[in-house]
C-alpha cells in the first residue's frame, strides 16, 4: 500500500476536468483505491508541488524510427524512400533492434507515456526484441511487426506465407503477457505496401485471435490516388473493408483525406482514430477534419507518429492538435485535449482499466512539475501542453510500479 499527498489533474469526461489542489491518493496492488481531498493523515510521500496526471497514451508510433526523429521533410512517400526504409532495414540485426528498443522504451516512459500502440519493422525478430524490452521496462503496449510485401525494398518484403506464421508465433509468446499488459496487434503498414493477399491474411489473423488491427489511412492525397488505382476500389477505405480489417478493434492513423461516405462508414464500424497532428504538419500531409470525426462520435486518440512526428511527448502532440483544430474553426478545450491524450487513447486501444485518476482503475500515472507560480488547473494545462520549454516529467508509474524517474 502507498499513500501520497499531491496535486491531481485528470479528465473526467471529454468536457470535464478533475482538479484537486491538495489530494490524498492511496494505491494498493497496482490499483488506485482512494482519491479525495487531503484529510491530514500521515502519507508515505508528499509529491507536491508536483501534479499527478494519468499516464499518457500514444496510439500511433514507429519504434524503428526512434533514431530518425527530425528527418521527415515531406512529402510522405518521398520520406519513406529516402529515410524510413533504409533505417528500418537495419532491424534485421537484432542487436541493433535491442539497442533502439531500450532507447524507445526510455523515451516513452520519460515522456509520461504508459500505454502505446507501437509499429515495428517488418522483421519478426525485431518485434520479439521490442516486446521483450516493453516487458522489461514495465510499460503497457500493443505492438507487432508491420506487414509489407509490395512496393518497398526487397529486404523489407515478407510474403503472407512467411509473415503470418511468424506473427502467430509472436501471438503465442506475447499476447496477454503479464495480465494483458502486452498485446500483439496486427499491423499491415498501409495499402501501398501490401498485396490483396497480405491484407486479407492480416484481417483473417486478427479475426482468428480477436486482436486489434492498426494501419494508416488517407494520410496524403497522392497515397489515396495510388490506392484507388491499384486496388480498383471506389475509395481508399474500401481497400481495407474488403480485407475484413475495419471493425471496432481497428485503430486508423491520420484519416485526413476522406469523403463523407468514408467518414460515415468508419463511424458505423466503430473504429478509433489515431490523430497525428504533429506528423501531419511536419510532412505537410494536411489537417485532420476534426469536426467530421467528432460529429459522428468517433473515438479519438492521438499519436506522436514518431518519427514523422517530432516528439515522444504526448502533451506536445496535444498542442499540435489544438492548432489543427483552430485551422478547422474548432477551439478544443483543455478537457478534450487531455481526454484524447489519456482516457480517450486508453479506450481506443481496448484498455478501459486505465487513462484516468479514479478509484478502481490501475495506477498508470505520471508526475509533472509545473513552474512554481502555477496554482490552478488552467495554469497546469498551459504549462503542460502549451509551454514547450516548461520542465518535464519527474516520475512515471505503471500499475503503481515506478518505470522511470528523473535522477
Ligand atoms: Zn505512422
Amino acid at each position: 500500500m502507498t499513500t501520497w499527498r499531491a496535486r491531481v489533474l485528470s479528465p473526467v469526461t471529454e468536457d470535464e476536468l478533475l482538479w484537486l489542489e491538495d489530494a490524498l491518493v492511496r494505491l494498493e496492488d497496482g490499483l488506485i483505491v482512494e482519491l479525495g481531498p487531503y484529510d491530514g493523515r500521515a502519507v508515505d510521500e508528499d509529491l507536491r508541488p508536483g501534479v499527478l496526471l494519468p499516464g499518457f497514451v500514444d496510439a500511433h508510433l514507429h519504434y524503428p524510427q526512434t533514431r530518425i526523429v527530425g528527418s521527415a521533410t515531406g512529402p510522405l512517400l518521398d520520406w519513406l524512400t529516402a529515410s524510413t526504409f533504409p533505417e528500418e532495414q537495419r532491424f534485421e540485426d537484432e542487436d541493433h533492434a535491442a539497442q533502439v528498443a531500450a532507447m524507445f522504451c526510455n523515451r516513452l516512459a520519460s515522456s509520461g507515456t504508459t500505454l502505446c500502440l507501437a509499429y515495428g519493422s517488418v522483421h519478426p525478430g525485431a518485434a520479439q526484441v521490442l516486446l521483450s524490452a516493453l516487458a522489461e521496462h514495465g510499460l503497457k503496449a500493443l505492438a507487432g511487426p508491420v506487414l509489407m510485401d509490395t512496393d518497398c525494398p526487397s529486404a523489407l518484403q515478407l510474403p503472407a506465407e512467411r509473415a503470418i506464421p511468424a506473427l502467430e508465433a509472436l501471438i503465442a509468446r506475447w499476447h496477454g503477457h503479464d495480465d494483458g499488459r502486452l498485446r500483439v496487434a496486427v499491423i499491415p503498414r498501409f495499402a501501398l505496401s501490401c498485396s490483396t493477399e497480405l491484407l486479407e491474411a492480416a484481417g483473417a489473423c486478427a479475426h482468428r485471435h480477436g486482436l486489434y488491427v492498426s494501419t494508416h489511412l488517407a494520410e496524403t492525397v497522392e497515397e489515396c490516388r495510388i490506392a484507388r488505382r491499384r486496388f480498383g476500389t471506389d475509395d481508399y477505405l474500401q481497400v481495407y473493408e474488403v480485407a475484413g480489417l475495419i471493425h471496432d478493434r481497428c485503430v486508423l492513423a491520420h484519416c485526413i483525406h476522406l469523403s463523407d461516405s468514408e467518414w460515415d462508414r468508419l463511424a458505423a464500424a466503430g473504429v478509433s482514430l489515431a490523430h497525428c497532428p504533429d506528423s501531419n504538419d511536419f510532412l505537410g500531409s494536411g489537417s485532420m477534419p476534426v469536426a467530421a470525426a467528432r460529429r459522428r462520435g468517433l473515438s479519438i486518440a492521438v499519436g506522436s507518429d514518431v518519427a514523422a512526428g517530432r516528439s515522444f511527448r504526448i502533451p506536445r502532440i496535444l498542442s499540435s492538435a489544438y492548432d489543427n483544430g483552430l485551422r478547422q474553426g474548432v477551439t478544443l478545450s483543455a478537457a478534450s485535449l487531455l481526454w484524447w491524450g489519456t482516457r480517450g487513447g486508453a479506450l481506443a486501444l481496448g484498455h478501459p482499466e486505465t487513462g484516468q485518476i479514479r478509484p478502481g482503475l490501475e495506477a498508470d500515472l505520471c508526475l509533472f512539475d509545473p513552474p512554481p507560480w502555477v496554482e490552478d488547473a488552467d495554469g497546469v494545462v498551459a504549462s503542460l501542453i502549451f509551454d514547450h520549454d516548461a520542465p518535464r516529467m519527474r516520475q512515471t508509474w505503471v500499475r503503481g510500479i515506478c518505470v522511470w524517474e528523473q535522477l
Side-chain angles (χ1 to χ4, degrees):
M1 191 180 80
T2 306
T3 314
W4 290 326
R5 190 173 174 183
R7 300 198 280 178
V8 167
L9 183 67
S10 172
V12 178
T13 66
E14 251 195 277
D15 303 311
E16 185 185 350
L17 286 174
L18 169 75
W19 167 249
L20 292 169
E21 172 62 38
D22 190 0
L24 181 125
V25 184
R26 188 160 63 87
L27 312 183
E28 205 168 313
D29 296 330
L31 294 176
I32 301 161
V33 294
E34 188 178 348
L35 171 69
Y38 178 66
D39 58 6
R41 86 181 84 157
V43 295
D44 295 306
E45 199 173 352
D46 187 346
L47 301 175
R48 297 173 307 157
V51 178
L52 211 50
L53 299 154
F56 292 102
V57 179
D58 192 335
H60 180 77
L61 81 171
H62 299 255
Y63 117 81
Q65 298 173 17
T66 301
R67 302 192 333 164
I68 57 167
V69 173
S71 69
T73 47
L76 168 70
L77 300 180
D78 294 346
W79 175 61
L80 288 176
T81 304
S83 300
T84 308
F85 290 156
E87 179 70 9
E88 292 196 8
Q89 287 181 52
R90 305 190 66 189
F91 285 72
E92 191 178 0
D93 174 354
E94 291 180 16
D95 291 337
H96 175 78
Q99 278 179 27
V100 178
M103 191 188 309
F104 175 80
C105 291
N106 191 53
R107 293 287 293 272
L108 287 169
S110 63
S111 303
T113 296
T114 51
L115 167 64
C116 71
L117 197 167
Y119 286 37
S121 65
V122 75
H123 312 98
Q128 158 73 29
V129 161
L130 171 64
L131 284 154
S132 297
L134 288 162
E136 191 183 320
H137 282 77
L139 297 171
K140 289 184 176 177
L142 290 76
V146 290
L147 305 172
M148 311 164 71
D149 68 348
T150 306
D151 202 17
C152 60
S154 57
L156 290 179
Q157 295 185 19
L158 200 61
E161 62 265 27
R162 287 173 56 206
I164 300 299
L167 185 57
E168 297 271 2
L170 286 168
I171 294 164
R173 168 69 184 84
W174 289 107
H175 187 63
H177 176 80
D178 193 13
D179 286 332
R181 182 163 65 78
L182 297 184
R183 297 172 190 172
V184 174
V186 177
I187 309 175
R189 185 183 201 117
F190 71 151
L192 271 50
S193 61
C194 297
S195 65
T196 299
E197 183 195 11
L198 185 60
L199 290 173
E200 287 176 352
C205 178
H207 184 71
R208 226 169 16 251
H209 297 281
L211 301 184
Y212 268 70
V213 165
S214 187
T215 188
H216 300 84
L217 175 66
E219 184 172 354
T220 69
V221 172
E222 176 73 350
E223 168 205 3
C224 297
R225 189 183 61 75
I226 297 172
R228 281 195 307 270
R229 192 183 58 201
R230 186 184 296 167
F231 290 89
T233 53
D234 295 333
D235 56 39
Y236 191 167
L237 178 59
Q238 200 180 5
V239 175
Y240 296 146
E241 285 173 330
V242 297
L245 293 162
I246 301 301
H247 45 65
D248 62 3
R249 294 183 314 282
C250 177
V251 180
L252 294 168
H254 301 289
C255 297
I256 301 173
H257 307 285
L258 294 171
S259 65
D260 282 348
S261 163
E262 288 172 299
W263 278 114
D264 289 343
R265 281 143 54 208
L266 289 175
V271 305
S272 295
L273 195 160
H275 176 29
C276 304
D278 192 61
S279 156
N280 297 341
D281 286 350
F282 196 32
L283 288 174
S285 302
S287 297
M288 196 278 281
V290 61
R294 289 179 117 199
R295 192 164 55 239
R296 291 170 175 85
L298 263 91
S299 157
I300 301 175
V302 292
S304 66
D305 198 17
V306 158
R310 292 164 286 193
S311 175
F312 279 79
R313 297 182 61 234
I314 288 300
R316 176 69 186 78
I317 305 306
L318 296 175
S319 172
S320 291
Y322 181 83
D323 296 347
N324 178 84
L326 284 185
R327 289 197 298 270
Q328 315 273 323
V330 177
T331 304
L332 292 162
S333 67
S336 288
L337 291 169
L338 268 184
W339 179 270
W340 287 0
T342 57
R343 182 66 174 168
L347 296 177
L349 300 189
H351 277 268
E353 83 293 349
T354 188
Q356 282 171 310
I357 304 183
R358 76 174 150 90
L361 295 196
E362 294 192 351
D364 303 337
L365 306 163
C366 59
L367 186 68
F368 172 66
D369 280 319
W373 58 86
V374 167
E375 290 179 342
D376 58 17
D378 287 346
V380 173
V381 167
S383 168
L384 175 74
I385 297 179
F386 297 115
D387 180 353
H388 299 172
D389 299 328
R392 302 197 174 179
M393 294 301 156
R394 196 202 307 174
Q395 201 167 350
T396 306
W397 299 263
V398 174
R399 292 178 175 168
I401 297 168
C402 177
V403 296
W404 175 83
E405 189 172 6
Q406 180 71 59
L407 297 174

